[in-house]
């Protein structure tokens, strides 16, 4: 969890960061699995930042923001060229009407990376361009004799892309052939990643390199926050921080949002908000997000029944919902894959987002 404006400070993810770095340094691929807002991006950012200081070229691609073959090829090429500080020149060339002749800095590397020239050829098929771009990190690694580290975030989004199945198939075919590039994959569920990395002996991802992010350890979080607040010279009521963490459950995003509100109130009003005020503040702050999230869930009546039953505190919801014709096992599995539910071996399923759970209790 980051609690700094620049997003450079992580709390409670030291072991996960260590594991990610160890895998990538060994030339192995790694996957980070967690629901939305659990800090996957922050962990990836921190890992790439560290590896960059070790002279590794890096790139980070968010598949949610690159929903087409053409855009994915463009963004990937830009991210790779960023390592040579040529990303801005590439975008100017890509989005303008000028030819490569007007970009001598790009011409100077064209012999080594001829795929760049394809972006100036309107007759080039977008799938050929994407195919070449997917090989760009590997070509870069071979040219400069440095292991390339490339992150692909929101892997499950390929299922919702325009021609997503074709993009996923191309990713699967290409990434498995690269020996000088290590990949970080992230998604809300393992299945969102394995449809590209494969399974079994042919998989390009080892079982032991799959990292499941959960809530931040509460005691680690409490200790860290007490130190942070102490440095800021904020005088807090007794048990204020522990009650805060109890409410957020150690959820990275909501803990961060709560801390920001506390600091903002202290700066503007000279006092911290009362503990009981914080949940309502977060509900107001996240109103649009929660309503949009619920709108997507509410299209399926089984999902609604599951989520309405879970906040009651009775985890054994099978008897109640089975009589209503709800396929509980299937609905829970689907909600887990969507990142809405978390599964615990001991306690079973629970709502991953503590604010969504509070919102459901308040609204229904």
């Amino acid at each position: 969890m980051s609690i700094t404006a620049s997003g450079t400070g992580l709390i409670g993810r030291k072991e996960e960061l260590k594991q990610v770095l160890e895998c990538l340094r060994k030339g192995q691929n790694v996957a980070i699995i967690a629901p939305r807002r659990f800090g996957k991006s922050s962990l990836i950012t921190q890992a790439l930042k560290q590896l960059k200081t070790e002279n590794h070229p890096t790139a980070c691609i968010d598949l949610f923001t690159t929903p087409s073959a053409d855009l994915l090829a463009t963004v990937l090429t830009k991210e790779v060229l960023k390592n040579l500080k040529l990303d801005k020149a590439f975008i100017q060339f890509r989005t303008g009407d000028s030819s490569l002749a007007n970009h001598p800095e790009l011409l100077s590397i064209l012999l080594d990376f001829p795929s760049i020239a394809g972006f100036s050829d309107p007759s080039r098929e977008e799938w050929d361009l994407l195919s070449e771009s997917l090989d760009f990190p590997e070509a870069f690694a071979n040219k400069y004799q440095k292991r390339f580290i490339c992150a692909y975030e929101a892997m499950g989004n390929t299922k919702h892309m325009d021609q997503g199945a074709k993009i996923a198939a191309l990713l699967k075919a290409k990434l498995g052939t690269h020996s000088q590039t290590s990949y970080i994959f992230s998604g809300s569920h393992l299945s969102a990643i394995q449809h590209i990395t494969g399974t079994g002996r042919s998989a390009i991802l080892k079982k032991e390199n799959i990292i499941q992010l959960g809530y931040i350890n509460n005691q680690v979080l409490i200790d860290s926050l007490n130190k942070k607040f102490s440095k800021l010279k904020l005088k807090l009521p007794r048990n204020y921080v522990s009650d805060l963490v109890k409410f957020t459950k150690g959820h990275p995003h909501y803990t961060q949002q709560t801390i920001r509100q506390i600091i903002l109130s202290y700066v503007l009003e000279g006092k911290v908000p009362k503990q009981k005020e914080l949940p309502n503040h977060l509900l107001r702050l996240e109103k649009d997000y929660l309503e949009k999230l619920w709108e997507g869930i509410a299209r399926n009546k089984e999902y609604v029944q599951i989520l309405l039953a879970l906040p009651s505190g009775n985890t054994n919801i099978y008897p109640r919902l089975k009589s209503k014709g709800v396929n509980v096992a299937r609905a829970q599995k689907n909600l887990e894959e969507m990142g809405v539910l978390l599964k615990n071996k001991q306690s079973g399923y629970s709502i991953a987002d503590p604010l969504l759970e509070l919102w459901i209790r308040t609204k229904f």
Side-chain angles (χ1 to χ4, degrees), residues 39-227:
K40 297 187 293 294
S41 294
S42 294
L43 183 59
I44 290 171
T45 298
Q46 194 72 4
L48 294 181
K49 182 181 178 183
Q50 174 62 38
L51 290 163
K52 207 162 185 64
T53 66
E54 298 171 17
N55 216 21
H56 287 284
T58 66
C60 187
I61 314 300
D62 185 347
L63 293 175
F64 181 77
T65 59
T66 53
S68 66
D70 179 67
L71 188 56
L72 177 56
T74 299
V75 172
L76 177 55
T77 301
K78 182 202 77 170
E79 285 294 305
V80 176
L81 288 173
K82 192 181 286 186
N83 293 280
L84 298 175
K85 298 183 179 179
L86 293 176
D87 51 310
K88 291 181 181 178
F90 171 72
I91 291 301
Q92 288 172 359
F93 153 67
R94 180 73 177 99
T95 57
D97 296 325
S98 59
S99 67
L100 271 172
N102 295 322
H103 296 276
E105 64 274 56
L106 292 177
L107 275 173
S108 67
I109 61 167
L110 197 58
L111 287 176
D112 295 314
F113 309 117
S115 62
I116 296 171
F119 288 94
S120 65
D121 184 355
S123 67
R124 283 298 305 274
E125 216 275 333
E126 66 175 355
W127 294 101
D128 291 337
L129 205 57
L130 177 58
S131 179
E132 291 179 0
S133 298
L134 290 173
D135 285 329
F136 195 7
E138 184 76 356
F140 194 100
N142 287 323
K143 164 64 180 175
Y144 294 103
Q145 295 297 297
K146 297 174 183 177
R147 174 160 292 280
F148 202 105
I149 311 297
C150 186
Y152 281 100
E153 297 195 68
M155 295 288 282
N157 198 62
T158 56
K159 295 179 181 179
H160 309 291
M161 284 178 167
D162 180 30
Q163 294 187 291
K166 191 172 180 179
I167 291 175
L170 192 55
L171 280 164
K172 186 175 183 179
K174 284 290 183 178
L175 304 192
T177 66
H178 299 161
S179 61
Q180 300 306 311
T181 305
S182 294
Y183 290 97
I184 310 175
F185 306 109
S186 78
S188 61
H189 192 265
L190 186 56
S191 64
I193 291 172
Q194 286 184 328
H195 78 290
I196 291 174
T197 62
T199 57
R201 291 184 179 181
S202 62
I204 64 171
L205 181 65
K206 292 183 179 181
K207 216 172 186 180
E208 59 269 28
N209 293 351
I210 299 169
I211 300 170
Q212 182 84 46
L213 294 186
Y215 300 115
I216 299 171
N217 179 277
N218 283 9
Q219 193 55 55
V220 170
L221 189 52
I222 289 168
D223 293 342
S224 297
L225 292 181
N226 277 325
K227 288 179 183 177

Side-chain angles (χ1 to χ4, degrees), residues 209-362:
N209 293 351
I210 299 169
I211 300 170
Q212 182 84 46
L213 294 186
Y215 300 115
I216 299 171
N217 179 277
N218 283 9
Q219 193 55 55
V220 170
L221 189 52
I222 289 168
D223 293 342
S224 297
L225 292 181
N226 277 325
K227 288 179 183 177
K228 295 280 185 182
F229 285 131
S230 179
K231 286 182 180 179
L232 292 171
K233 297 182 179 180
L234 263 68
K235 293 181 180 180
L236 302 174
R238 188 178 179 184
N239 298 326
Y240 190 90
V241 172
S242 58
D243 287 343
L244 180 161
V245 172
K246 185 179 179 180
F247 160 63
T248 67
K249 296 184 179 180
H251 188 288
H253 177 76
Y254 296 127
T255 304
Q256 180 172 323
Q257 291 289 70
T258 305
I259 292 166
R260 284 176 175 166
Q261 177 59 28
I262 291 168
I263 294 173
L264 185 63
S265 295
Y266 185 79
V267 170
L268 296 179
E269 302 172 13
K271 61 180 181 179
V272 298
K274 294 179 181 179
Q275 182 66 47
K276 63 182 180 181
E277 296 173 351
L278 293 174
N280 287 332
H281 167 75
L282 279 183
L283 285 173
R284 289 193 298 271
L285 189 66
E286 301 288 349
K287 180 176 179 290
D288 290 343
Y289 167 76
L290 293 169
E291 288 180 348
K292 188 174 181 181
L293 177 61
W294 184 255
E295 184 182 336
I297 293 168
R299 295 190 186 110
N300 186 301
K301 291 181 180 180
E302 288 192 338
Y303 297 169
V304 173
Q305 293 287 344
I306 294 288
L307 294 180
L308 290 179
L310 283 174
S312 68
N314 181 6
T315 55
N316 188 15
I317 61 177
Y318 280 86
R320 282 181 294 152
L321 297 185
K322 205 169 183 182
S323 63
K324 296 181 180 180
V326 176
N327 188 325
V328 177
R330 179 185 63 195
Q332 286 182 324
K333 186 68 175 175
N334 289 343
L335 285 167
E336 182 190 6
E337 293 188 0
M338 291 163 60
V340 177
L341 294 185
L342 276 179
K343 187 176 184 181
N344 184 285
K345 290 181 180 178
Q346 284 74 40
S347 58
Y349 284 102
S350 62
I351 297 175
D353 187 321
L355 201 63
L356 175 63
E357 183 174 348
L358 176 63
W359 186 82
I360 290 172
R361 291 188 185 198
T362 302

